Amino acid sequence: MPVRNKEQHRTQRIGWLRAAVLGANDGIVSTASLVLGVAAAHATHGSILLTGVAGLVAGTMSMATGEYVSVHSQADTEKAELALERKELETDDKGERKELSAIYIGRGLEPALAQQVAEQLMAHDALGAHARDELGISDTFSARPTLAALASAISFAVGAALPLLVVALAPHASLIPFVSATSLVFLALLGGLAAYVGGAPVMTGVMRVTFWSALAMGVTAGVGALFGTVA
C-alpha cells in the first residue's frame, strides 16, 4: 500500500512567517517614516540618506536583539515546563495518566477510549504526549530564538533598503511624494503576500497594512514639518 505524502499545513510557517513579515514591514515603515520626517524638516538630501542608513543599521540590530531575547524567554519557559512535567512523570505516573485521560475526555472521547489512548501514547512517548496535549508545546510551535532573530534582522534590512533606494534615486524636490507612494506600494504588496502565504483574505491584509502604515508615515512627516518650521 503506497504511503501518502505528508500534508503541508500553513501553521508550520507561523514562526518564520511572523518574524519575516514583522521585520520587513517594520523596516519599510520605520525607515520611510524616518526619512519623511527628516525631509519634511527641510534637511539636505545627503542628511536624509545618512539618517536612513543609520536607521537601517540600528533597526536591524534592534530587531535581531529584541526577537532573540523575547523568543529565548519563551524557549526558557518551555524548558522549565518540560522539566517540571518530566519530574511529575517520575514521581506520579498514575496521576499523570489520569490527567491525560481527563484531557481526552474533555475533548469528546469516551472514558474507556480516553484511558486507552492515554496509555498507548504514554507508552510511546510520555513526555511528548503531555508536552503536546497538556502544555501545548510541539515541534511546529516551539520557540527557535536564533531562527527568529535572523529572519527579523534580514527581513528588516531588506525592507528598510527599499525606501532608501528610492531616496537615493528620487529628485530632492519630489522626495516626499516618491518615498510615500513607493513605500505604500511596497507595504501593500507585502501585506498581500503575507496574507496569501498564511491563507488569509489578501485584500484584508493589503488594506490593514496600508492604512496603518500611511498613518504612521503621515504622523512622522507632520512632526518633522512642525519642528522644521519651528526651527
Side-chain angles (χ1 to χ4, degrees):
M1 181 178 178
V3 179
R4 294 180 60 188
N5 293 328
K6 184 178 179 181
E7 295 180 358
Q8 297 295 319
H9 294 284
R10 291 185 175 95
T11 52
Q12 297 173 349
R13 307 169 182 163
I14 285 177
W16 65 263
L17 179 62
R18 181 190 67 85
V21 170
L22 175 62
N25 186 86
D26 196 26
I28 298 173
V29 173
S30 61
T31 305
S33 298
L34 184 61
V35 299
L36 286 174
V38 177
H42 310 295
T44 64
H45 200 135
S47 296
I48 296 170
L49 186 58
L50 180 61
T51 300
V53 171
L56 183 153
V57 175
T60 299
M61 298 307 298
S62 176
M63 286 291 291
T65 302
E67 194 72 15
Y68 182 83
V69 171
S70 63
V71 178
H72 211 297
S73 297
Q74 178 186 341
D76 290 341
T77 301
E78 290 178 357
K79 289 179 181 178
E81 290 290 334
L82 289 174
L84 178 61
E85 195 64 34
R86 186 180 292 108
K87 184 176 181 181
E88 290 177 349
L89 286 168
E90 293 173 353
T91 57
D92 188 17
D93 181 75
K94 185 176 180 180
E96 290 299 302
R97 291 175 187 274
K98 289 182 179 180
E99 186 177 31
L100 198 59
S101 297
I103 292 173
Y104 297 143
I105 292 173
R107 293 179 181 176
L109 294 184
E110 294 293 332
L113 180 57
Q115 182 178 356
Q116 184 180 2
V117 171
E119 293 285 344
Q120 291 188 9
L121 288 178
M122 289 190 65
H124 174 69
D125 182 8
L127 182 61
H130 280 270
R132 180 179 60 253
D133 295 321
E134 180 184 349
L135 304 177
I137 299 174
S138 66
D139 290 338
T140 301
F141 299 103
S142 61
R144 294 178 174 85
T146 303
L147 180 60
L150 286 175
S152 294
I154 293 171
S155 58
F156 182 95
V158 171
L162 296 175
L164 278 182
L165 181 62
V166 176
V167 172
L169 298 177
H172 183 67
S174 306
L175 192 146
I176 291 179
F178 266 92
V179 172
S180 300
T182 54
S183 295
L184 288 176
V185 171
F186 295 146
L187 288 161
L189 292 174
L190 177 64
L193 177 62
Y196 174 77
V197 174
V202 173
M203 285 307 300
T204 301
V206 170
M207 294 173 62
R208 179 169 53 234
V209 171
T210 304
F211 172 78
W212 290 108
S213 300
L215 180 62
M217 289 188 289
V219 170
T220 309
V223 171
L226 176 64
F227 280 91
T229 301
V230 172

